[in-house]
Amino acid sequence: MTEHTTVGVGLISVGWMGKVHSRAYQAIPVVYPELRITPRLIIAADTEPSRVDYATEVLGFAEGTTDYHEVLAHPDVDVVSICAPNFLHAEIGIAAAKAGKAFWIEKPVGRGVAETRSVEEAADSAGIASSIGFNYRHAPAIEKIKTLIADGSLGRITNVRGTFFA
């Protein structure tokens, strides 16, 4: 049997989306047991002290801070969820890449093409994994249609209009 892998998680911004990310990490062993991953909630940052308290007291992070740089500098953090306000995404994404931390960044990555490209270049240059939070990216129906398109089963796709009911 394959061993479990522990992944240290850092969170930047404990607002609504930060709470969603935290709960998703906690659900991984139950929802995806085949991955044999055990996330460990290491440190969460938010500029609002009451949300830092919420992260440690309710969400279960071991530590909290009001400075996101502490999340990026933490030696036990392997992956960071960047859930800060949109105008900070590029700054934090670049800093995460420079710190060598894999990250999941909420959309939009940047306020325009230049900012978005700068985050991509920083992640590529650092050789770290990154992902953008598109809501339905990994939904089974979307994964299936992606496979059908990629293998040519549907022919050449020129236009798509769809509705998704969860």
Side-chain angles (χ1 to χ4, degrees), residues 45-93:
D46 199 288
T47 56
E48 170 54 49
S50 67
R51 288 196 280 215
V52 174
D53 293 341
Y54 184 90
T56 57
E57 295 168 11
V58 178
L59 296 176
F61 281 86
E63 300 175 44
T65 180
T66 56
D67 183 354
Y68 81 81
H69 296 94
E70 290 183 38
V71 173
L72 301 179
H74 200 293
D76 295 335
V77 170
D78 301 305
V79 64
V80 177
S81 279
I82 301 171
C83 303
N86 295 349
F87 74 94
L88 294 172
H89 286 182
E91 171 190 323
I92 297 170

Short mmCIF file of all heavy atoms in Angstrom, two decimals, residues 45-93:
data_model
loop_
_atom_site.label_atom_id
_atom_site.label_comp_id
_atom_site.label_asym_id
_atom_site.label_seq_id
_atom_site.Cartn_x
_atom_site.Cartn_y
_atom_site.Cartn_z
N ALA A 45 -3.06 33.90 6.76
CA ALA A 45 -2.84 35.34 6.90
C ALA A 45 -4.07 36.12 6.47
O ALA A 45 -4.74 35.74 5.51
CB ALA A 45 -1.64 35.77 6.04
N ASP A 46 -4.32 37.18 7.20
CA ASP A 46 -5.37 38.12 6.82
C ASP A 46 -5.04 39.45 7.49
O ASP A 46 -4.47 39.46 8.58
CB ASP A 46 -6.75 37.64 7.25
CG ASP A 46 -7.87 38.33 6.48
OD1 ASP A 46 -8.12 39.53 6.72
OD2 ASP A 46 -8.49 37.67 5.63
N THR A 47 -5.38 40.55 6.85
CA THR A 47 -5.10 41.86 7.44
C THR A 47 -6.06 42.18 8.57
O THR A 47 -5.77 43.06 9.38
CB THR A 47 -5.17 42.97 6.38
OG1 THR A 47 -6.46 42.92 5.75
CG2 THR A 47 -4.07 42.81 5.34
N GLU A 48 -7.16 41.46 8.67
CA GLU A 48 -8.15 41.66 9.72
C GLU A 48 -7.88 40.65 10.84
O GLU A 48 -8.06 39.44 10.65
CB GLU A 48 -9.57 41.49 9.16
CG GLU A 48 -10.67 41.44 10.18
CD GLU A 48 -10.67 42.64 11.12
OE1 GLU A 48 -10.58 43.79 10.64
OE2 GLU A 48 -10.72 42.40 12.35
N PRO A 49 -7.45 41.09 12.02
CA PRO A 49 -7.10 40.17 13.10
C PRO A 49 -8.21 39.18 13.50
O PRO A 49 -7.92 38.04 13.84
CB PRO A 49 -6.75 41.10 14.27
CG PRO A 49 -6.28 42.35 13.61
CD PRO A 49 -7.15 42.49 12.37
N SER A 50 -9.47 39.60 13.41
CA SER A 50 -10.55 38.67 13.79
C SER A 50 -10.62 37.49 12.82
O SER A 50 -10.99 36.38 13.22
CB SER A 50 -11.90 39.40 13.84
OG SER A 50 -12.30 39.83 12.55
N ARG A 51 -10.24 37.70 11.58
CA ARG A 51 -10.23 36.58 10.62
C ARG A 51 -9.03 35.68 10.85
O ARG A 51 -9.09 34.48 10.60
CB ARG A 51 -10.29 37.09 9.19
CG ARG A 51 -11.68 37.64 8.87
CD ARG A 51 -11.89 37.79 7.39
NE ARG A 51 -11.27 39.01 6.91
CZ ARG A 51 -11.76 39.75 5.95
NH1 ARG A 51 -12.88 39.40 5.34
NH2 ARG A 51 -11.14 40.84 5.56
N VAL A 52 -7.93 36.24 11.33
CA VAL A 52 -6.78 35.42 11.70
C VAL A 52 -7.19 34.50 12.85
O VAL A 52 -6.90 33.30 12.84
CB VAL A 52 -5.57 36.30 12.10
CG1 VAL A 52 -4.43 35.44 12.64
CG2 VAL A 52 -5.10 37.14 10.92
N ASP A 53 -7.90 35.07 13.83
CA ASP A 53 -8.40 34.26 14.95
C ASP A 53 -9.34 33.17 14.46
O ASP A 53 -9.27 32.03 14.90
CB ASP A 53 -9.13 35.14 15.97
CG ASP A 53 -8.19 36.11 16.69
OD1 ASP A 53 -6.96 35.88 16.68
OD2 ASP A 53 -8.71 37.11 17.25
N TYR A 54 -10.22 33.51 13.53
CA TYR A 54 -11.16 32.53 12.96
C TYR A 54 -10.39 31.38 12.30
O TYR A 54 -10.76 30.22 12.44
CB TYR A 54 -12.08 33.22 11.94
CG TYR A 54 -13.14 32.33 11.38
CD1 TYR A 54 -14.38 32.24 12.00
CD2 TYR A 54 -12.91 31.58 10.23
CE1 TYR A 54 -15.37 31.41 11.48
CE2 TYR A 54 -13.89 30.76 9.71
CZ TYR A 54 -15.12 30.67 10.34
OH TYR A 54 -16.10 29.84 9.82
N ALA A 55 -9.32 31.73 11.61
CA ALA A 55 -8.53 30.70 10.91
C ALA A 55 -7.95 29.69 11.88
O ALA A 55 -7.93 28.49 11.60
CB ALA A 55 -7.42 31.35 10.09
N THR A 56 -7.47 30.16 13.02
CA THR A 56 -6.86 29.24 13.99
C THR A 56 -7.91 28.56 14.87
O THR A 56 -7.82 27.37 15.13
CB THR A 56 -5.81 29.95 14.86
OG1 THR A 56 -6.41 31.06 15.53
CG2 THR A 56 -4.65 30.42 14.01
N GLU A 57 -8.91 29.31 15.31
CA GLU A 57 -9.89 28.79 16.26
C GLU A 57 -10.98 27.94 15.61
O GLU A 57 -11.48 26.99 16.23
CB GLU A 57 -10.52 29.94 17.04
CG GLU A 57 -9.52 30.68 17.91
CD GLU A 57 -10.06 31.99 18.46
OE1 GLU A 57 -11.28 32.26 18.34
OE2 GLU A 57 -9.24 32.77 19.00
N VAL A 58 -11.36 28.27 14.39
CA VAL A 58 -12.47 27.56 13.74
C VAL A 58 -11.99 26.67 12.59
O VAL A 58 -12.35 25.49 12.52
CB VAL A 58 -13.54 28.55 13.23
CG1 VAL A 58 -14.67 27.82 12.51
CG2 VAL A 58 -14.10 29.38 14.39
N LEU A 59 -11.17 27.22 11.71
CA LEU A 59 -10.75 26.45 10.53
C LEU A 59 -9.66 25.43 10.85
O LEU A 59 -9.49 24.47 10.12
CB LEU A 59 -10.28 27.39 9.42
CG LEU A 59 -11.36 28.33 8.85
CD1 LEU A 59 -10.74 29.28 7.83
CD2 LEU A 59 -12.50 27.53 8.24
N GLY A 60 -8.90 25.66 11.91
CA GLY A 60 -7.91 24.68 12.32
C GLY A 60 -6.48 24.92 11.88
O GLY A 60 -5.65 24.01 11.93
N PHE A 61 -6.16 26.14 11.45
CA PHE A 61 -4.77 26.43 11.10
C PHE A 61 -3.94 26.47 12.39
O PHE A 61 -4.40 26.95 13.42
CB PHE A 61 -4.66 27.77 10.36
CG PHE A 61 -5.03 27.66 8.91
CD1 PHE A 61 -6.35 27.78 8.51
CD2 PHE A 61 -4.06 27.39 7.95
CE1 PHE A 61 -6.70 27.65 7.17
CE2 PHE A 61 -4.40 27.26 6.61
CZ PHE A 61 -5.73 27.39 6.22
N ALA A 62 -2.73 25.96 12.33
CA ALA A 62 -1.86 25.92 13.50
C ALA A 62 -1.40 27.32 13.91
O ALA A 62 -1.19 27.58 15.09
CB ALA A 62 -0.65 25.03 13.22
N GLU A 63 -1.23 28.20 12.93
CA GLU A 63 -0.75 29.56 13.20
C GLU A 63 -1.54 30.56 12.37
O GLU A 63 -2.12 30.20 11.35
CB GLU A 63 0.73 29.70 12.81
CG GLU A 63 1.68 28.79 13.53
CD GLU A 63 3.10 28.93 12.98
OE1 GLU A 63 3.56 30.08 12.76
OE2 GLU A 63 3.73 27.89 12.76
N GLY A 64 -1.48 31.81 12.80
CA GLY A 64 -2.10 32.90 12.06
C GLY A 64 -1.23 34.13 12.10
O GLY A 64 -0.40 34.29 13.00
N THR A 65 -1.39 35.00 11.11
CA THR A 65 -0.59 36.21 11.01
C THR A 65 -1.36 37.27 10.22
O THR A 65 -2.28 36.93 9.47
CB THR A 65 0.76 35.92 10.31
OG1 THR A 65 1.52 37.14 10.24
CG2 THR A 65 0.57 35.35 8.92
N THR A 66 -0.96 38.52 10.39
CA THR A 66 -1.54 39.58 9.57
C THR A 66 -0.63 39.94 8.39
O THR A 66 -0.95 40.83 7.62
CB THR A 66 -1.80 40.85 10.42
OG1 THR A 66 -0.58 41.25 11.04
CG2 THR A 66 -2.88 40.60 11.46
N ASP A 67 0.47 39.23 8.24
CA ASP A 67 1.44 39.51 7.16
C ASP A 67 1.58 38.29 6.25
O ASP A 67 2.13 37.27 6.66
CB ASP A 67 2.79 39.86 7.78
CG ASP A 67 3.85 40.24 6.75
OD1 ASP A 67 3.59 40.12 5.52
OD2 ASP A 67 4.95 40.63 7.17
N TYR A 68 1.10 38.40 5.03
CA TYR A 68 1.14 37.24 4.12
C TYR A 68 2.56 36.76 3.84
O TYR A 68 2.77 35.60 3.48
CB TYR A 68 0.37 37.52 2.83
CG TYR A 68 1.09 38.32 1.77
CD1 TYR A 68 2.02 37.72 0.92
CD2 TYR A 68 0.82 39.67 1.58
CE1 TYR A 68 2.67 38.44 -0.07
CE2 TYR A 68 1.46 40.40 0.60
CZ TYR A 68 2.38 39.78 -0.23
OH TYR A 68 3.01 40.49 -1.21
N HIS A 69 3.54 37.63 3.99
CA HIS A 69 4.93 37.22 3.76
C HIS A 69 5.35 36.10 4.71
O HIS A 69 6.19 35.27 4.37
CB HIS A 69 5.88 38.41 3.89
CG HIS A 69 5.66 39.46 2.84
ND1 HIS A 69 4.85 40.54 3.05
CD2 HIS A 69 6.11 39.56 1.57
CE1 HIS A 69 4.82 41.28 1.95
NE2 HIS A 69 5.58 40.71 1.03
N GLU A 70 4.77 36.06 5.90
CA GLU A 70 5.07 35.00 6.86
C GLU A 70 4.57 33.64 6.35
O GLU A 70 5.19 32.61 6.62
CB GLU A 70 4.48 35.32 8.23
CG GLU A 70 5.18 36.47 8.92
CD GLU A 70 4.63 36.73 10.31
OE1 GLU A 70 4.30 35.76 11.03
OE2 GLU A 70 4.53 37.92 10.68
N VAL A 71 3.48 33.64 5.63
CA VAL A 71 2.97 32.39 5.02
C VAL A 71 3.99 31.90 4.00
O VAL A 71 4.36 30.72 3.98
CB VAL A 71 1.59 32.61 4.36
CG1 VAL A 71 1.15 31.37 3.59
CG2 VAL A 71 0.55 33.01 5.39
N LEU A 72 4.46 32.81 3.16
CA LEU A 72 5.39 32.43 2.09
C LEU A 72 6.76 32.02 2.62
O LEU A 72 7.46 31.23 1.99
CB LEU A 72 5.53 33.57 1.08
CG LEU A 72 4.23 34.01 0.42
CD1 LEU A 72 4.49 35.17 -0.54
CD2 LEU A 72 3.55 32.86 -0.29
N ALA A 73 7.14 32.54 3.78
CA ALA A 73 8.44 32.22 4.36
C ALA A 73 8.41 30.98 5.24
O ALA A 73 9.46 30.46 5.62
CB ALA A 73 8.95 33.41 5.18
N HIS A 74 7.22 30.49 5.55
CA HIS A 74 7.10 29.37 6.49
C HIS A 74 7.68 28.09 5.88
O HIS A 74 7.26 27.67 4.80
CB HIS A 74 5.65 29.15 6.89
CG HIS A 74 5.50 28.39 8.16
ND1 HIS A 74 5.88 27.07 8.29
CD2 HIS A 74 5.03 28.78 9.37
CE1 HIS A 74 5.62 26.67 9.52
NE2 HIS A 74 5.12 27.70 10.20
N PRO A 75 8.63 27.45 6.56
CA PRO A 75 9.28 26.27 5.98
C PRO A 75 8.38 25.04 5.84
O PRO A 75 8.67 24.16 5.03
CB PRO A 75 10.43 25.98 6.97
CG PRO A 75 9.98 26.60 8.25
CD PRO A 75 9.18 27.80 7.87
N ASP A 76 7.28 24.99 6.58
CA ASP A 76 6.39 23.83 6.50
C ASP A 76 5.29 23.97 5.46
O ASP A 76 4.51 23.05 5.25
CB ASP A 76 5.76 23.55 7.87
CG ASP A 76 6.79 23.13 8.90
OD1 ASP A 76 7.85 22.60 8.51
OD2 ASP A 76 6.53 23.34 10.10
N VAL A 77 5.21 25.14 4.81
CA VAL A 77 4.18 25.37 3.79
C VAL A 77 4.67 24.87 2.44
O VAL A 77 5.73 25.29 1.96
CB VAL A 77 3.80 26.87 3.73
CG1 VAL A 77 2.91 27.16 2.51
CG2 VAL A 77 3.10 27.30 5.01
N ASP A 78 3.90 23.97 1.86
CA ASP A 78 4.21 23.43 0.53
C ASP A 78 3.38 24.11 -0.56
O ASP A 78 3.83 24.26 -1.69
CB ASP A 78 3.93 21.93 0.48
CG ASP A 78 4.74 21.16 1.50
OD1 ASP A 78 5.97 21.31 1.48
OD2 ASP A 78 4.14 20.43 2.32
N VAL A 79 2.14 24.44 -0.24
CA VAL A 79 1.21 25.02 -1.21
C VAL A 79 0.45 26.15 -0.54
O VAL A 79 0.14 26.09 0.65
CB VAL A 79 0.25 23.95 -1.77
CG1 VAL A 79 -0.65 23.38 -0.68
CG2 VAL A 79 -0.58 24.49 -2.92
N VAL A 80 0.15 27.19 -1.33
CA VAL A 80 -0.53 28.37 -0.81
C VAL A 80 -1.79 28.62 -1.62
O VAL A 80 -1.77 28.58 -2.85
CB VAL A 80 0.39 29.62 -0.90
CG1 VAL A 80 -0.34 30.86 -0.42
CG2 VAL A 80 1.67 29.40 -0.11
N SER A 81 -2.88 28.87 -0.92
CA SER A 81 -4.11 29.33 -1.58
C SER A 81 -4.13 30.85 -1.49
O SER A 81 -4.08 31.41 -0.38
CB SER A 81 -5.35 28.77 -0.89
OG SER A 81 -5.61 27.47 -1.31
N ILE A 82 -4.19 31.50 -2.65
CA ILE A 82 -4.20 32.96 -2.71
C ILE A 82 -5.64 33.40 -2.96
O ILE A 82 -6.16 33.28 -4.07
CB ILE A 82 -3.25 33.48 -3.81
CG1 ILE A 82 -1.82 33.00 -3.52
CG2 ILE A 82 -3.33 35.00 -3.91
CD1 ILE A 82 -0.83 33.26 -4.65
N CYS A 83 -6.27 33.88 -1.90
CA CYS A 83 -7.69 34.24 -1.94
C CYS A 83 -7.90 35.71 -1.57
O CYS A 83 -8.98 36.11 -1.16
CB CYS A 83 -8.47 33.35 -0.97
SG CYS A 83 -8.29 31.59 -1.29
N ALA A 84 -6.85 36.49 -1.69
CA ALA A 84 -6.89 37.91 -1.34
C ALA A 84 -7.75 38.69 -2.34
O ALA A 84 -8.15 38.15 -3.37
CB ALA A 84 -5.46 38.45 -1.34
N PRO A 85 -8.00 39.96 -2.05
CA PRO A 85 -8.73 40.79 -3.02
C PRO A 85 -8.03 40.79 -4.38
O PRO A 85 -6.79 40.72 -4.45
CB PRO A 85 -8.71 42.18 -2.37
CG PRO A 85 -8.62 41.90 -0.90
CD PRO A 85 -7.73 40.68 -0.81
N ASN A 86 -8.81 40.90 -5.42
CA ASN A 86 -8.30 40.78 -6.80
C ASN A 86 -7.09 41.65 -7.09
O ASN A 86 -6.16 41.21 -7.77
CB ASN A 86 -9.41 41.14 -7.80
CG ASN A 86 -10.55 40.15 -7.78
OD1 ASN A 86 -10.47 39.09 -7.17
ND2 ASN A 86 -11.64 40.51 -8.42
N PHE A 87 -7.07 42.88 -6.62
CA PHE A 87 -5.98 43.79 -6.97
C PHE A 87 -4.64 43.35 -6.38
O PHE A 87 -3.60 43.84 -6.78
CB PHE A 87 -6.30 45.23 -6.58
CG PHE A 87 -6.23 45.53 -5.11
CD1 PHE A 87 -5.07 46.04 -4.55
CD2 PHE A 87 -7.32 45.31 -4.29
CE1 PHE A 87 -5.00 46.33 -3.19
CE2 PHE A 87 -7.27 45.59 -2.93
CZ PHE A 87 -6.10 46.10 -2.38
N LEU A 88 -4.65 42.39 -5.44
CA LEU A 88 -3.42 41.89 -4.83
C LEU A 88 -2.95 40.56 -5.43
O LEU A 88 -1.86 40.10 -5.10
CB LEU A 88 -3.62 41.71 -3.33
CG LEU A 88 -3.84 42.99 -2.53
CD1 LEU A 88 -4.23 42.66 -1.10
CD2 LEU A 88 -2.60 43.86 -2.58
N HIS A 89 -3.74 39.95 -6.28
CA HIS A 89 -3.41 38.62 -6.79
C HIS A 89 -2.04 38.56 -7.44
O HIS A 89 -1.24 37.67 -7.14
CB HIS A 89 -4.48 38.13 -7.78
CG HIS A 89 -5.74 37.72 -7.11
ND1 HIS A 89 -6.80 37.21 -7.82
CD2 HIS A 89 -6.13 37.73 -5.81
CE1 HIS A 89 -7.79 36.93 -6.98
NE2 HIS A 89 -7.40 37.25 -5.76
N ALA A 90 -1.75 39.46 -8.35
CA ALA A 90 -0.47 39.40 -9.07
C ALA A 90 0.71 39.57 -8.11
O ALA A 90 1.67 38.79 -8.15
CB ALA A 90 -0.43 40.45 -10.18
N GLU A 91 0.64 40.56 -7.25
CA GLU A 91 1.72 40.80 -6.29
C GLU A 91 2.00 39.55 -5.45
O GLU A 91 3.14 39.14 -5.30
CB GLU A 91 1.32 41.96 -5.37
CG GLU A 91 2.25 42.17 -4.19
CD GLU A 91 1.68 43.17 -3.18
OE1 GLU A 91 1.03 44.16 -3.60
OE2 GLU A 91 1.90 42.96 -1.98
N ILE A 92 0.94 38.94 -4.94
CA ILE A 92 1.11 37.78 -4.06
C ILE A 92 1.52 36.55 -4.87
O ILE A 92 2.37 35.77 -4.42
CB ILE A 92 -0.16 37.53 -3.24
CG1 ILE A 92 -0.43 38.73 -2.32
CG2 ILE A 92 -0.03 36.24 -2.43
CD1 ILE A 92 -1.79 38.69 -1.63
N GLY A 93 0.97 36.38 -6.06
CA GLY A 93 1.35 35.25 -6.90
C GLY A 93 2.83 35.27 -7.26
O GLY A 93 3.52 34.25 -7.20
#
